[in-house]
Amino acid sequence: MPTLILVRHGRSTANTEGLLAGWTPGVALDERGAAQAAALPARLAGLPLATAVTSPLQRCRETLEPLLAARPELSLHTDERIGECRYGDWSGRKLAELKDEPLMEVVQQHPTAAAFPGGESMREMATRAAEAVREWNARVEREHGADAVYVMCSHGDIIKSLVADALGLHLDLFQRISVEPCSVTAIRYTRLRPFLLRLGDTGDFASLAPRTEPENGGDAPVGGGAGAP
């Protein structure tokens, strides 16, 4: 079965403003995010990509634009199932404010029980994303062969849930996974089990340097975080 290259969108204006974007329209890449996207074609240059799939949200489409310009033969498909988690009433709010919400502790410690007011549950998010990948794996294999490689641009929580699914981890453990903006995660699927080949690879180790204060007080950044400062 195919190899899936998961790309988280580049750093967005919501990331730098500390907002939980969700499906809020008009959230674009910031200057650094645009530079990350511009570097993506060179990072993926050695891969014979069969096709590209994207979340419908602007920040994902902008992330793939340089890759599509460099490879005009690459077809692009949009799939709402790999769109950001629907955070409902939390969308557009400051993450600093949300950390005091009682639901945040559930999101961090027991995400299978977390449902966002006016939005969806994290279980629903993970299920739709996994179903999308399974269907795309079958389609890509059917159209391009079992050894095909394809790219999918999505969001932090979506990618984390797909990694947990590939590793056989319970969704309650997925907050232990980290994927930075414009990071590359690679999963090779086989008939019996997937293999995680890369996780959150940016080629930049700046985010590993010690910080004077732990980011988010040690909690997982909902939505994925802004990456290295």
Side-chain angles (χ1 to χ4, degrees):
M1 296 179 70
T3 297
L4 171 61
I5 307 299
L6 285 161
V7 177
R8 185 185 166 201
H9 63 78
R11 196 174 75 175
S12 72
T13 53
N15 292 145
T16 48
E17 292 169 9
L19 300 176
L20 186 62
W23 284 71
T24 304
V27 176
L29 298 183
D30 67 6
E31 185 176 351
R32 179 171 179 173
Q36 291 171 332
L40 190 60
R43 292 171 62 197
L44 301 182
L47 297 177
L49 299 175
T51 193
V53 187
T54 184
S55 154
L57 295 173
Q58 180 178 341
R59 53 197 182 273
C60 286
R61 291 187 285 105
E62 288 181 349
T63 298
L64 286 186
E65 281 176 2
L67 179 65
L68 296 171
R71 301 198 191 193
E73 76 287 354
L74 201 59
S75 59
L76 178 66
H77 307 271
T78 300
D79 194 325
E80 287 203 0
R81 295 173 298 175
I82 61 165
E84 181 63 283
C85 184
R86 295 186 182 274
Y87 298 115
D89 298 345
W90 279 26
S91 299
R93 291 181 59 187
K94 286 275 190 182
L95 287 164
E97 299 171 358
L98 292 170
K99 70 178 183 179
D100 296 324
E101 294 277 356
L103 177 60
M104 182 59 85
E105 185 178 14
V106 182
V107 170
Q108 292 291 326
Q109 304 297 334
H110 189 22
T112 53
F116 296 97
E120 68 180 337
S121 70
M122 302 202 92
R123 286 182 293 106
E124 289 170 327
M125 172 203 75
T127 298
R128 63 172 164 85
E131 287 176 350
V133 165
R134 282 162 174 74
E135 288 183 20
W136 277 106
N137 282 346
R139 176 174 173 176
V140 169
E141 180 173 5
R142 185 170 63 249
E143 296 179 358
H144 302 280
D147 295 325
V149 180
Y150 72 109
V151 64
M152 180 178 281
C153 189
S154 187
H155 307 266
D157 282 348
I158 294 286
I159 294 172
K160 287 162 56 177
S161 74
L162 290 170
V163 170
D165 176 73
L167 292 177
L169 291 178
H170 197 283
L171 187 63
D172 282 341
L173 301 179
F174 99 127
Q175 297 290 25
R176 303 182 184 193
I177 299 166
S178 177
V179 289
E180 291 195 8
C182 223
S183 62
V184 172
T185 294
I187 303 171
R188 178 170 295 145
Y189 290 86
T190 73
R191 187 174 66 85
L192 296 179
R193 58 188 171 183
F195 293 88
L196 180 65
L197 306 179
R198 297 287 188 280
L199 175 61
D201 189 343
T202 64
D204 179 359
F205 298 105
S207 64
L208 302 181
R211 301 186 184 184
T212 53
E213 277 185 31
E215 187 181 23
N216 306 305
D219 282 341
V222 180

